[in-house]
Amino acid sequence: MKERLRRLLVEAIAAAVKEGQLPGDAAGVEVYVERPPRSEMGDFSASVAMGLAKVARRPPIQVAEIILSHLPSDPVVEAAEIAPPGYINFRLGPRWLTDAVAECLTRGSDYGRSDWGAGRRVQVEFVSANPVGPIHIGNARGGPYGDVLASLLEATGHHVTREYYINDGPENTQIVVFGGSVQARYLQALGVEAALPEGGYQGEYVTELGQALAAEHGDRYRNVPQDEAGALLFFGLVRDRMIQVLQEDCDALGISFDVWFSEQGLYDSGAVEAVVKKLMDLGAAYERDGAVWLRSSAYGDDEDRVLVRQSGGPTYLASDAAYGLNKFLERGFDHVIYVWGPDHGGYVARLKAALAALGVEPERVEIIIYQIVRILRGGEPVRMSKRAGNAIWLRDIIEEAGRDAVRFFFLLRSVDAHLDFDLELATRQSEENPVYYVQYAHARTYGIQKEAAARGFPGPSTERLELLSHPAERDLMRYIADYPGLVSDAARQRAPHRLTHFALEMARAFHQFYDRCRVLDPANEELSAARLALVVATGQVLRNLLGLLGVSAPERM
RNA sequence: GCGCCCGUAGCUCAGCGGGAUAGAGCAUCGGACUUCGGAUCCGAGGGUCGGGGGUUCGAAUCCCUCCGGGCGCGCCA
């Protein structure tokens, strides 16, 4: 609807320019249509006239008058008025709302979907936590975010691949330390005196891994030296188990990845070596001090970065460049979104530099950094470190609060904002969690339908939707009408939190409607049928919303 | 020191393609139909939008600067 009004305005301005009433450069201005702050001001408004006042060298009100005099007629526009200091306010006929209800019922679960993505192939890579332990609350945030972002892109006509990058490469020091930790726990399980490596992983699950290895293999690996090679050997023994743990965690969150991509695979195929050579051939990398450097400073980074160490081992940047080449060149994604944690902020410039050096257009690379999650327990911050072993596992939180609440809670805030997750609040007060408010609204739409059937009311009908004229009905219908625009806005802005906020507002509009408008009125069957249609459409939109959020939409609670 | 993010009601946060009287939830206080689910609804109080400059007809929103908080600045990932 905004778009429809916007076109009317653009046409009107063009016509005015043609007749010489507005200067030529007026035709190029951006026109935005928005919601006025109060409903008495109309259904939609535009402030173009104020923006044009300067170039037109006329007062805004006059500009608005000129625009209005050229405004093409549209059956849905009941009135277009000018309000000081120069707003153009549109008052629309009831059809634009009731048509939305009808359209929602016709399109069902497709309502809100669009095709502006035109089938572009987009990859969203997220979570990608190192395979050295279960997902903890600190790196869990990317899960719901990436998953819902992917859903939003799907809903707007993109072809989306959800991908998890497994950092199981041999050059990953975390892998080495982790493997060494497993080895130490294995030896201890055999009764051998063994110390954890420097900065080793102290989590209980590591002890369990060691014990499991001892039970399975006995003392077969007892004499493996406690060095890097030994650590990697032990990592190899538990690698599949660790990936399985990560997959189970993602399952528990309701996330299903299309691709689990192994960094080790890039080494095995020679892709890492090849990309370094390619960068050298391109002149984007050079040797110095026995290391190979990426000329990243020529591509926007502060300084050049090491690709291959003096020791001969490639850095993470080298395998990431190879991975990028794989994404863009081999698999041909049009656009790639990386969802990273806050500790990766310093890495953005160098990855972009590497990809730019390889010829990937910068606009195809998008890196989103979400902000830190702070864990509180009753208001007190809880420190956590995977290595220290006092991490808070995602799985435990899900068990306590439930998947729906965890996802909804994580999606309540903008990615740019820090997120406080208070365990006590998420568990003790789980009944007051906002997710229940929305789910209850959805369940209520079912309750009403069931009651209608039980009492023998005729089913929902769109025949007399014009009977829906109560302010609460109009408010509610407005959410239904706005929903498709919300989905494309949220996708464009990479802002899943717009969905949770909209869901809460719409649920409130529905509860208000329920409170003020009796749906099932035996004395007025036509009105009842129309209201029932509104109830069904509301349930449909809530269900579509919750579907995008990956939160269940129960029929009763 | 440099880079990124944040600073809006007591608390947690929306709003930030500049626009009309700045919003919500929680918390506090006070209310609601003998009826479709009270996990609901209504009302009230509560604000120098961190401070200061600037751009503009108009700034929570854009620019500069200062203050406060978080994160990052490795031949770790």
Side-chain angles (χ1 to χ4, degrees), chain A residues 212-225:
Chain A
L213 287 179
E216 186 182 348
H217 301 289
D219 60 2
R220 183 172 160 196
Y221 298 105
R222 180 181 181 144
N223 295 321
V224 173

Side-chain angles (χ1 to χ4, degrees), chain A residues 163-465:
Chain A
E163 184 149 323
Y164 190 117
Y165 184 49
I166 306 166
N167 289 116
D168 56 355
E171 302 295 333
N172 183 339
T173 51
Q174 285 193 39
I175 291 294
V176 175
V177 173
F178 172 67
S181 304
V182 173
Q183 183 177 21
R185 295 304 191 197
Y186 163 78
L187 292 171
Q188 287 167 3
L190 292 178
V192 178
E193 192 94 359
L196 279 181
E198 180 86 20
Y201 288 68
Q202 301 187 26
E204 204 179 309
Y205 68 95
V206 184
T207 310
E208 287 165 9
L209 285 168
Q211 288 166 349
L213 287 179
E216 186 182 348
H217 301 289
D219 60 2
R220 183 172 160 196
Y221 298 105
R222 180 181 181 144
N223 295 321
V224 173
Q226 280 188 271
D227 55 13
E228 188 174 323
L232 286 173
L233 185 151
F234 271 84
F235 173 72
L237 292 175
V238 297
R239 175 188 177 276
D240 289 351
R241 173 64 198 145
M242 296 320 297
I243 292 171
Q244 192 191 336
V245 164
L246 292 168
Q247 287 177 334
E248 285 166 2
D249 281 352
C250 291
D251 267 2
L253 254 189
I255 299 171
S256 160
F257 285 95
D258 300 301
V259 177
W260 289 76
F261 194 97
S262 163
E263 179 187 15
Q264 181 66 50
L266 292 168
Y267 281 92
D268 295 342
S269 69
V272 178
E273 216 175 321
V275 84
V276 173
K277 183 172 184 305
K278 179 164 181 174
L279 286 164
M280 290 281 274
D281 292 346
L282 288 166
Y286 58 91
E287 290 192 51
R288 190 181 78 201
D289 304 334
V292 179
W293 298 71
L294 175 70
R295 210 180 294 283
S296 41
S297 61
Y299 298 91
D301 199 358
D302 295 336
E303 49 188 288
D304 292 350
R305 309 288 177 175
V306 171
L307 280 168
V308 183
R309 306 180 184 97
Q310 273 183 336
S311 64
T315 61
Y316 185 61
L317 181 58
S319 57
D320 249 5
Y323 185 32
L325 212 53
N326 174 279
K327 293 180 184 211
F328 286 101
L329 262 55
E330 260 176 64
R331 285 190 280 166
F333 289 111
D334 297 310
H335 193 83
V336 170
I337 299 176
Y338 295 81
V339 178
W340 286 353
D343 52 338
H344 282 62
Y347 196 75
V348 172
R350 78 186 70 169
L351 177 63
K352 284 189 168 171
L355 294 175
L358 289 167
V360 176
E361 298 83 348
E363 62 273 15
R364 294 167 66 194
V365 183
E366 187 175 345
I367 300 175
I368 296 172
I369 305 256
Y370 58 84
Q371 292 303 306
I372 200 168
V373 178
R374 219 169 29 190
I375 310 305
L376 308 176
R377 199 184 283 278
E380 287 299 304
V382 177
R383 287 223 19 110
M384 48 158 226
S385 148
K386 213 189 276 195
R387 295 186 186 187
N390 64 347
I392 298 152
W393 306 119
L394 171 65
R395 192 78 68 84
D396 295 336
I397 302 303
I398 293 175
E399 264 170 36
E400 282 182 52
R403 175 205 287 180
D404 287 344
V406 170
R407 287 186 68 115
F408 202 89
F409 203 97
F410 270 54
L411 292 165
L412 223 31
R413 312 270 104 104
S414 144
V415 267
D416 285 337
H418 300 181
L419 174 66
D420 281 340
F421 194 103
D422 195 310
L423 288 167
E424 213 176 322
L425 226 70
T427 54
R428 173 173 59 84
Q429 297 198 327
S430 66
E431 302 274 24
E432 293 163 30
N433 199 301
V435 67
Y436 291 100
Y437 185 77
V438 177
Q439 289 180 320
Y440 180 57
H442 178 261
R444 204 170 223 184
T445 65
Y446 271 82
I448 295 168
Q449 290 176 69
K450 244 181 286 172
E451 187 66 19
R455 292 210 218 154
F457 273 84
S461 163
T462 53
E463 290 297 312
R464 302 291 310 277
L465 289 180

Side-chain angles (χ1 to χ4, degrees), chain A residues 103-124:
Chain A
E103 191 192 340
C104 174
L105 293 176
T106 305
R107 295 193 59 194
S109 58
D110 276 345
Y111 185 63
R113 299 181 75 92
S114 63
D115 54 11
W116 67 260
R120 286 212 312 158
R121 301 188 59 221
V122 180
Q123 184 206 55
V124 184

Side-chain angles (χ1 to χ4, degrees), chain A residues 489-505:
Chain A
D489 283 353
R492 230 185 302 263
Q493 297 170 3
R494 317 298 197 221
H497 75 281
R498 297 278 311 268
L499 297 178
T500 50
H501 286 265
F502 186 93
L504 284 165
E505 286 173 24

